[in-house]
Amino acid sequence: PLGPKYHEVYDFLACEGISPCNGWLNSNETLRNITSEWAFSLNEQYQEILKSSSRSSYANFKLAYFEPDWFGMISNYTKQYDAPATDLIEPSDGFHPSQIGNELLAEEIWEWLEAKFPESIGSINPFNEEIERIFGDQGGF
């Protein structure tokens, strides 16, 4: 049905047993708070793992942890573009980043990778010029 509020949709999905994220998508504030506390504890655990090991601790991968500065990103956006913070939130669900929000997040992740974990990016494709010669400039990266 058209017109229900978010909490009504989320409670309906939970009642039907089909909620994609019952811990956060419901009207029960206590459950949402418990879920948030658990999520924060998992983030802290990642950081503990990083503190107790070195990047060479694992044979097949390198571990890194990125924590976005959501408040800084939102503040910078609203000041730079004189636009509302709601531009950065997907209106269809009210909690995921919008296309603009994802673009800003990608920029922040890329800058972090370049500064803190550049080996994860890899080297520039040595065949870029040949690819552009064959296919032309398609406006990509």
Side-chain angles (χ1 to χ4, degrees), residues 11-28:
D11 288 345
F12 172 77
L13 294 174
C15 180
E16 293 293 314
I18 57 173
S19 174
C21 183
N22 191 49
W24 276 307
L25 304 182
N26 64 72
S27 61
N28 183 331

Side-chain angles (χ1 to χ4, degrees), residues 26-101:
N26 64 72
S27 61
N28 183 331
E29 183 179 3
T30 302
L31 180 57
R32 291 193 314 269
N33 290 339
I34 290 169
T35 303
S36 292
E37 288 173 19
W38 179 248
F40 287 127
S41 75
L42 292 175
N43 289 342
E44 289 173 7
Q45 186 60 44
Y46 283 123
Q47 295 175 39
E48 287 301 316
I49 291 169
L50 281 170
K51 286 178 191 173
S52 66
S53 62
S54 68
R55 284 197 174 174
S56 60
S57 295
Y58 306 101
N60 297 313
F61 64 92
K62 293 183 178 177
L63 182 63
Y65 179 78
F66 172 74
E67 187 168 356
D69 177 11
W70 294 108
F71 294 109
M73 197 168 33
I74 292 167
S75 177
N76 290 340
Y77 174 79
T78 58
K79 288 176 188 170
Q80 182 176 354
Y81 297 101
D82 192 30
T86 53
D87 285 358
L88 305 178
I89 301 169
E90 178 56 49
S92 65
D93 63 22
F95 56 90
H96 284 106
S98 66
Q99 186 66 31
I100 296 169

Side-chain angles (χ1 to χ4, degrees), residues 119-138:
E119 63 271 25
S120 66
I121 296 173
S123 57
I124 295 173
N125 185 344
F127 300 103
N128 281 348
E129 287 182 21
E130 183 179 352
I131 291 168
E132 188 170 334
R133 183 180 54 75
I134 294 171
F135 297 104
D137 183 359
Q138 298 179 13

